[in-house]
Amino acid sequence: YPAIIPTIKNDKKLIIGEVIELKEPKDSFKKLDKYEEFNPIDKQNSLYIRKKTKARFKNGKSTDCWIYWFNVKKVMVPT
């Protein structure tokens, strides 16, 4: 399934995607966290980890946003 994994290419982190504005972030994050299997109390055992980052647009402007990173440590650790 689709997932974002942190990588560095030419000393730059680059992800091409979309930025959306949430009208009710608190309620929306509760639903999104459940969907992405992210538990803010138990991040290490979450399938994805939500982190704040800076998004830069083609026009040069930027904004803070949240991204769900795939928790590689969770799937790579034998149980």
Side-chain angles (χ1 to χ4, degrees):
Y1 42 82
I4 298 172
I5 299 172
T7 58
I8 297 176
K9 183 176 182 180
N10 299 328
D11 294 327
K12 294 182 182 180
K13 296 178 184 177
L14 176 66
I15 299 169
I16 298 173
E18 297 179 23
V19 175
I20 59 170
E21 182 178 358
L22 302 174
K23 299 293 181 192
E24 297 183 28
K26 189 174 182 178
D27 185 51
S28 297
F29 277 129
K30 190 181 289 185
K31 292 174 185 173
L32 286 167
D33 288 349
K34 184 177 180 180
Y35 179 79
E36 299 290 358
E37 298 182 40
F38 170 67
N39 181 346
I41 297 169
D42 188 15
K43 295 177 185 177
Q44 298 297 15
N45 289 308
S46 296
L47 185 58
Y48 288 85
I49 299 175
R50 177 168 45 95
K51 290 187 177 181
K52 197 173 211 176
T53 190
K54 180 78 67 183
R56 289 184 179 78
F57 302 100
K58 289 181 182 180
N59 65 5
K61 294 183 180 182
S62 64
T63 189
D64 289 330
C65 67
W66 292 93
I67 189 169
Y68 287 91
W69 292 97
F70 187 60
N71 187 2
V72 178
K73 292 178 183 175
K74 177 176 172 53
V75 296
M76 298 302 284
V77 176
T79 56

